[in-house]
Amino acid sequence: MKYIVHLSRIFTGILFIISGFIKLNDPLGFSYKLEEYFGSDVLNLEFLIPYALGISVIVVVFEVVLGVFLLIGYKPKFTVWSLLLMIVFFTFLTFYSAYFDKVKDCGCFGDALKLTPWESFTKDVVLLVLTLILFFGVKHIKPIFSKLPTTVIALLSFVVSLWFGYHVLMHLPSIDFRAYAIDKNLSEEMAIPEDAQKPILEYTWTFNVNGEEQEFVTNGSYPSVDGEYVGVETKTIDEGYIPAIQDFSIESDEEDLTGYFLEQEKLVMVTMYNVTKGEAEGMAKLKSFTDEAIKKGYTVIGLSSSGAADKAQAKAEYNFNFDIYLCDEKVVKTIVRANPGIIILNKGTVVNKAHWNDIEDIEL
């Protein structure tokens, strides 16, 4: 039992630290995932949505710290009880998500590793088993250092985690796992190769045959049935090849301009997923930066999911000298983890990107 506890302790501690650090690298992204869980069509806890970012930071810092606590053996009973409560909650959450097909990606490992809902649930079940081993074998969990070093390491893990979370919120994630990272080409990330695997769909046809409804399953072809057609339902068996970027577009009221702008050699995109929620200080900083960019020959555009009236009001209020085009809110949030943010492209390739706090550091 002692050795099983030690192995469970090492595996669980490392996994919690890795999972927590990946989310701590992008707490804003994890808060968007929590907002999805809190939505009316999932857990219906919409009153928590305004607090999603705060909850995100607390959860991921706690996750990293608990992993460290477990490895060094700091306050074993508190640590194991906390781990158990956390993993029970997340096991319920991932099961609910998978069973009711509510959230396609749990966000357990941020954008670094995408897991399907059932994969997420399986992962949590394994962790739950390991945590139960620790719970019943807690007497075997001993500190690996003396009391003072153990306390110092525990305190440092909390302070460093908190500082790192604050740092990436005030700037950008230190490691960008998304398809809009520097050196990525957006056109290539959106492309589907000719030899890519096609989606596999299952079609369930319903016919009225001799007064009785019967179902016939095909891969898409219309069944040869002597009866009256009632309806058809489709089910995705295999989604096939999915490009890294699926929903990115730059649209005016009249047309889709995505291809046109991704061909520009010097393009500055100002991302504001919602112009009415943009940080006032950041919005004010945009004026001088974008004017300077235009003087230096850059094409400058804005991307937002806001309505025409809100975009026009923001443009007038801050005297912006560029047009703001329509883009899906979730996509804009993914491009740059800031509102507003800056991304610079050269023929579709990301050259630079920045949080509004770092606008002054961008070299044009």
Side-chain angles (χ1 to χ4, degrees):
M1 181 64 179
K2 179 180 179 180
Y3 296 106
I4 296 176
V5 170
H6 286 333
L7 288 174
S8 300
R9 171 184 179 178
I10 294 170
F11 184 82
T12 305
I14 292 175
L15 192 60
F16 263 77
I17 291 172
I18 293 174
S19 173
F21 175 76
I22 290 173
K23 292 195 287 289
L24 188 59
N25 175 65
D26 185 13
L28 197 57
F30 186 53
S31 75
Y32 296 151
K33 183 59 62 176
L34 289 180
E35 288 179 8
E36 194 174 344
Y37 275 115
F38 295 152
S40 58
D41 58 337
V42 185
L43 295 178
N44 196 24
L45 299 173
E46 292 184 276
F47 69 93
L48 289 176
I49 290 179
Y51 310 105
L53 181 56
I55 295 172
S56 166
V57 173
I58 292 170
V59 169
V60 295
V61 167
F62 201 45
E63 190 173 356
V64 173
V65 168
L66 285 178
V68 174
F69 282 9
L70 184 61
L71 289 180
I72 66 175
Y74 180 75
K75 295 189 178 298
K77 288 185 179 180
F78 166 80
T79 300
V80 172
W81 266 106
S82 300
L83 287 170
L84 184 60
L85 291 174
M86 181 176 281
I87 198 61
V88 165
F89 171 72
F90 281 116
T91 302
F92 160 75
L93 204 60
T94 52
F95 171 76
Y96 182 89
S97 174
Y99 186 79
F100 293 102
D101 196 25
K102 294 291 187 179
V103 180
K104 299 300 182 183
D105 170 36
C106 72
C108 304
F109 294 97
D111 292 290
L113 177 63
K114 299 290 187 179
L115 298 178
T116 66
W118 284 114
E119 287 173 343
S120 301
F121 173 67
T122 303
K123 180 265 299 179
D124 284 340
V125 169
V126 172
L127 271 177
L128 179 59
V129 171
L130 293 173
T131 306
L132 287 172
I133 292 173
L134 296 173
F135 180 80
F136 291 109
V138 68
K139 65 181 180 181
H140 298 297
I141 302 175
K142 306 293 183 184
I144 60 175
F145 303 112
S146 60
K147 186 175 181 179
L148 181 59
T150 300
T151 304
V152 170
I153 294 172
L155 182 60
L156 278 176
S157 69
F158 175 72
V159 172
V160 171
S161 297
L162 208 56
W163 169 82
F164 184 67
Y166 176 78
H167 173 77
V168 295
L169 280 174
M170 292 298 102
H171 302 280
L172 287 180
S174 297
I175 306 173
D176 193 345
F177 295 106
R178 299 182 301 281
Y180 301 90
I182 293 175
D183 293 331
K184 295 280 190 180
N185 184 280
L186 304 195
S187 297
E188 293 176 1
E189 297 296 312
M190 289 190 288
I192 300 178
E194 291 184 6
D195 58 348
Q197 181 181 343
K198 300 295 189 291
I200 299 175
L201 302 179
E202 180 182 271
Y203 292 74
T204 302
W205 306 81
T206 303
F207 286 83
N208 191 320
V209 181
N210 297 325
E212 180 183 350
E213 288 193 355
Q214 297 182 16
E215 293 183 347
F216 301 85
V217 179
T218 74
N219 60 359
S221 58
Y222 193 85
S224 299
V225 179
D226 186 12
E228 181 184 354
Y229 170 77
V230 176
V232 63
E233 292 184 356
T234 61
K235 178 182 177 182
T236 302
I237 304 300
D238 189 331
E239 293 183 340
Y241 177 83
I242 301 176
I245 296 178
Q246 301 172 61
D247 302 318
F248 175 76
S249 64
I250 305 171
E251 300 177 17
S252 67
D253 292 336
E254 293 83 23
E255 57 184 325
D256 187 329
L257 298 167
T258 310
Y260 168 76
F261 283 117
L262 291 185
E263 286 297 318
Q264 302 299 309
E265 290 190 355
K266 299 166 71 177
L267 176 69
V268 171
M269 293 196 304
V270 180
T271 59
M272 303 168 284
Y273 73 85
N274 187 322
V275 294
T276 63
K277 294 181 179 180
E279 297 283 350
E281 185 180 350
M283 299 290 279
K285 283 184 176 183
L286 291 176
K287 173 61 179 172
S288 58
F289 172 78
T290 53
D291 284 351
E292 181 67 19
I294 292 171
K295 285 181 184 178
K296 293 189 175 182
Y298 283 82
T299 299
V300 179
I301 62 173
L303 292 183
S304 179
S305 64
S306 297
D310 287 335
K311 289 190 287 190
Q313 182 178 343
K315 187 174 179 180
E317 181 179 351
Y318 296 101
N319 195 26
F320 290 151
N321 195 23
F322 58 87
D323 292 324
I324 304 174
Y325 294 92
L326 179 65
C327 186
D328 179 76
E329 179 175 328
K330 189 174 182 179
V331 173
V332 179
K333 286 179 175 180
T334 304
I335 296 173
V336 183
R337 297 299 201 205
N339 191 30
I342 297 291
I343 182 168
I344 302 176
L345 296 95
N346 180 14
K347 289 193 172 183
T349 298
V350 180
V351 177
N352 202 353
K353 62 195 302 188
H355 190 284
W356 62 264
N357 269 325
D358 302 315
I359 285 180
E360 295 88 348
D361 299 330
I362 299 179
E363 294 183 8
L364 295 171

